């Protein structure tokens, strides 16, 4: 059973998935910072300084009462849309790069070994 587990872990697709998850986590931090630190302040500027995350309705009296924080939900939707757009643009760029790579003409490998041998044979036959 241990050998079977080692074989499973050593498969390429498991390792690829692990690398993808690690890169994805790092990318999430970058995009999260982009949204929180750069884009949300710009949105707030255009919305007259409104901070959606502070919006909510108190459901009970007192400072410790429950709050229906719909502003956090609005910010989560905005963040999702921005992150989804950034990921879309990234995938689009990767697909375009792959398409360029596929469209690039293959380099002429030159004559094959057989072609060279045939030329030598023909050259010797003429003499």
């Amino acid at each position: 059973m241990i050998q079977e587990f080692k074989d499973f872990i050593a498969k390429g697709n498991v390792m690829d998935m692990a690398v993808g998850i690690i890169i994805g986590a790092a990318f999430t931090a970058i995009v999260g910072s982009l949204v929180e630190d750069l884009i949300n302040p710009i949105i707030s500027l255009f919305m007259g300084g409104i901070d959606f995350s502070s919006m909510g309705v108190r459901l009970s009296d007192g400072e410790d009462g429950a709050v229906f924080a719909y502003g956090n939900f609005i910010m989560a939707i905005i963040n999702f849309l921005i992150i989804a757009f950034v990921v879309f643009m990234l995938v689009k760029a990767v697909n375009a790069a792959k398409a360029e790579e596929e469209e690039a003409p293959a380099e002429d490998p030159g004559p094959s070994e057989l072609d060279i041998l045939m030329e030598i044979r023909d050259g010797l036959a003429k003499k």
Side-chain angles (χ1 to χ4, degrees):
M1 177 157 356
I2 292 180
Q3 183 60 39
E4 203 175 347
F5 180 70
K6 287 180 183 178
D7 292 342
F8 171 75
I9 292 298
K11 284 185 180 177
N13 53 357
V14 173
M15 297 305 285
D16 292 342
M17 184 180 68
V19 169
I21 289 171
I22 293 167
I23 296 295
F27 183 71
T28 299
I30 291 170
V31 174
S33 176
L34 171 77
V35 170
E36 291 295 324
D37 301 330
L38 302 176
I39 295 175
N40 283 348
I42 294 170
I43 291 172
S44 179
L45 180 69
F46 285 113
M47 298 296 290
I50 296 173
D51 181 16
F52 287 108
S53 61
S54 65
M55 296 176 138
V57 175
R58 291 211 176 271
L59 300 177
S60 61
D61 294 336
E63 290 182 25
D64 296 335
V67 176
F68 183 72
Y70 62 87
N72 286 335
F73 182 70
I74 292 171
M75 285 308 299
I77 291 172
I78 291 171
N79 290 348
F80 170 78
L81 292 173
I82 293 168
I83 290 169
F85 181 74
V86 168
V87 169
F88 168 74
M89 295 304 291
L90 178 68
V91 169
K92 189 172 179 171
V94 168
N95 288 342
K98 282 183 182 179
E100 275 184 27
E101 186 176 297
E102 290 173 1
E103 290 176 3
E107 291 183 22
D108 184 21
S112 68
E113 185 177 333
L114 181 60
D115 293 335
I116 294 171
L117 289 173
M118 288 172 59
E119 283 181 27
I120 293 171
R121 181 198 66 198
D122 293 344
L124 290 174
K126 289 180 183 178
K127 288 184 180 185

